[in-house]
Amino acid sequence: MRIDRLRLRLVRLPLVHFFETSFGRVYDRTFILLALEGDGVEGLGECVADVDPYYSPETNVTAWHIIKDFLAPLVLGRAFDDPREIYPALARVRGHNMAKAAIEMAAWDLAARRLEAPLARLLGGTRGAIASGVSIGIQDSLDQLAQKIETELAAGYRRIKIKIKPGWDVAAVDMVRARFGAIPLMVDANAAYRLAQASHLARLDRFELMMIEQPLEYDDIRDHAALQHQIRTPICLDESIHSPRVAEEALALGACRIVNIKPGRLGGHAQSIRVHDICAAQGVPVWHGGMLESGIGRAHNIHLASLPNFTLPGDIAASRRYFVPDLIEPPIDVSGEGTVAVPTGPGIGVHVDWERVKAATVEEYEVRA
Ligand code: SMG
Ligand code: MG
């Protein structure tokens, strides 16, 4: 396929409910939608960068700049036999995985649409539905947290993840265990602790959590390995795993026992599959993370999460938890058993409501070969 045109749209959508992590509270989501056209077919990607550089160093402004000025010229007018060639073609640019992933994932959608095949088939997906969990942000009170958990369990979700930070950790988990018993439960610290707090984190061991996600700094492997030797709860790494090489290092050093895969953080589907395979070869389970994506990014995630080593429920929930209406129609829904069906149509297999996209667009850019 030859890439003839690239289009960027900066889109802003209000969130149904605020989302709070250890680095702050957000009320809306602003992100870049990327369309690649080749051989008269269009593929879509969603950039998971945010307005601020708190989860990752990238922002919408850096991604826009890097795509427009450096990445687009590396793909426009070029012919690719396989979307696996895209990430290597962008290698001259260091880092900026979220910007790269938006292009790479659009190329996968384009390739799948040209073959009139669902994306999951090209990626190597093996299941027709994925297990879905929810990520519940820090709330104003423990009562509010309990109410949220009750709602999500009633909806059928397969596991509950709560965000933690110093001051909102042991007591929150204690409340959840006391009220809801042995539900599948995990916590995510988004790098809010330091190794010196290991004995405090060890207080979580008695709650038999599925895992603690990214307790220490975003670029740290060694301290996570030290921490894993001091706590019983399995560590799952999110922010730290930005490449297959780092995934190998983390596993070799014993820095984690579970890996969160987000294609935006890794530079796209091909790099994600490599991490998936590295983990599978070592018997390490993975699950699919979430970045508050619209239905477009969410659909990409669902296809990727249909690969065999995604054995734990992911942060891929129904559209209605985030955006009403979503940019796709019908929205992503979850079954009463807590599963999300893998779309069967060509490409990402969802119908985009372009009127809604237009209404939410705050900036546009287009460039042709
Ligand atoms: O998409 O449901 C979702 C959000 C899942 O908790 C979630 N994501 O660290 O895993 C994580 C966070 C990152 C998003 S906060 C910008
Ligand atoms: Mg996380």
Side-chain angles (χ1 to χ4, degrees), residues 63-327:
W64 190 278
H65 159 57
I66 294 294
I67 293 170
K68 175 174 168 284
D69 297 330
F70 297 103
L71 302 178
L74 294 173
V75 295
L76 280 168
R78 277 190 62 181
F80 297 90
D81 291 328
D82 190 296
R84 288 173 188 81
E85 295 167 11
I86 299 280
Y87 188 81
L90 307 176
R92 190 173 178 199
V93 173
R94 290 195 181 160
H96 298 283
N97 274 346
M98 291 177 174
K100 290 176 178 174
I103 295 184
E104 201 256 11
M105 293 164 81
W108 278 99
D109 183 34
L110 174 53
R113 280 177 202 269
R114 284 187 67 221
L115 295 170
E116 291 179 12
L119 175 58
R121 193 178 305 160
L122 274 72
L123 296 175
T126 51
R127 51 172 84 85
I130 60 156
S132 177
V134 285
S135 170
I136 302 179
I138 293 161
Q139 306 295 318
D140 289 327
S141 67
L142 290 179
D143 263 349
Q144 199 177 10
L145 176 62
Q147 270 171 35
K148 291 244 158 229
I149 293 175
E150 208 167 296
T151 306
E152 306 300 6
L153 290 174
Y157 287 106
R158 297 273 185 99
R159 69 95 167 102
I160 300 290
K161 151 168 150 182
I162 65 169
K163 293 287 187 180
I164 57 166
K165 66 176 181 182
W168 180 274
D169 49 25
V170 178
V173 174
D174 197 16
M175 179 283 289
V176 178
R177 279 291 185 236
R179 272 182 85 152
F180 300 98
I183 57 166
L185 180 67
M186 60 172 287
V187 295
D188 185 358
N190 286 111
Y193 299 87
R194 298 295 171 262
L195 184 57
Q197 290 158 297
S199 59
H200 176 72
L201 292 171
R203 291 176 63 202
L204 292 170
D205 280 345
R206 71 183 170 96
F207 299 109
E208 302 293 337
L209 299 172
M210 297 167 76
M211 68 195 92
I212 176 169
E213 186 179 346
Q214 197 70 38
L216 309 180
E217 284 186 270
Y218 80 99
D219 58 350
D220 181 85
I221 296 297
R222 193 183 58 173
D223 281 1
H224 277 107
L227 178 64
Q228 185 67 93
H229 287 104
Q230 295 175 57
I231 63 173
R232 241 180 356 102
T233 309
I235 292 177
C236 168
L237 289 179
D238 172 358
E239 282 91 326
S240 293
I241 306 295
H242 55 81
S243 69
R245 184 179 51 75
V246 172
E248 274 169 351
E249 278 171 21
L251 298 185
L253 292 172
C256 64
R257 297 186 192 141
I258 300 170
V259 171
N260 166 324
I261 290 184
K262 291 177 182 171
R265 196 191 64 227
L266 287 161
H269 286 307
Q271 291 291 88
S272 299
I273 294 169
R274 290 179 60 197
V275 173
H276 166 277
D277 293 349
I278 288 165
C279 292
Q282 302 196 35
V284 171
V286 304
W287 56 278
H288 204 300
M291 290 295 289
L292 306 167
E293 288 93 343
S294 83
I296 294 167
R298 196 167 296 277
H300 270 285
N301 297 349
I302 295 167
H303 286 278
L304 180 60
S306 72
L307 269 70
N309 194 36
F310 284 90
T311 50
L312 295 165
D315 282 344
I316 306 180
S319 294
R320 77 169 72 87
R321 292 195 72 241
Y322 310 86
F323 309 108
V324 176
D326 200 339
L327 298 178

